[in-house]
Amino acid sequence: MKITIESLSKTKNPFLAQVERETGEDLSRCYQCGNCSGSCPVSDEMEIPVSQIIRFVTLGQEKTVLESNSMWVCVSCFQCQYNCPKCLDPSKLMEGLRRLSLRKGHAPIEMAQVTGEFIERSPQQAIVAGFRKLMS
Ligand code: SF4
Ligand code: SF4
């Protein structure tokens, strides 16, 4: 196997390697211009804006990333993808982080918290999508 500086840094940063495997995104291409965060309609509600999430992932800060609310606040609107000059897809990163987080047992909503009244009022598609996105 050819050993490169990139492969060595991923050996030392298993979280980055795991996220890139999960999302198919090469985060080393991000040059932190901030366009994704600037165009994100829910950035103000995120504890960590999407461009900083990318930075924390590349630094291997798994706990900081997975304990933030950012991936759960993301509404998958694709503005970040549309505005990235490096053709990265931060929305795919957020989706991948949700999957990783659920797999590691961090679910932001417990089934018992969802009331019958809410289920009766909500469209079926929203309930199924919400269960996929927010519950383990
Ligand atoms: S817009 Fe693209 S290059 Fe700029 S910070 Fe976001 S992901 Fe990185
Ligand atoms: S897809 Fe998510 S992170 Fe990207 S702009 Fe929309 S809400 Fe923000």
Side-chain angles (χ1 to χ4, degrees), residues 36 39-42 46 50 73-81 90-91 94:
C36 49
S39 60
C40 175
V42 289
M46 290 184 182
V50 60
V73 170
C74 166
V75 291
S76 304
C77 67
F78 304 111
Q79 279 299 316
C80 48
Q81 177 203 27
S91 61
M94 291 305 213

Side-chain angles (χ1 to χ4, degrees), residues 20-37:
E20 289 193 338
R21 212 170 34 244
E22 185 72 31
T23 62
E25 292 294 295
D26 175 4
L27 299 183
S28 65
R29 292 176 48 238
C30 170
Y31 62 2
Q32 287 291 298
C33 67
N35 274 6
C36 49
S37 298

Side-chain angles (χ1 to χ4, degrees), residues 101-103 105-110 131-136:
S101 188
L102 290 174
R103 229 178 278 145
H106 308 286
I109 294 179
E110 295 296 329
F131 279 7
R132 284 201 186 126
K133 181 177 170 183
L134 300 166
M135 294 176 195
S136 55

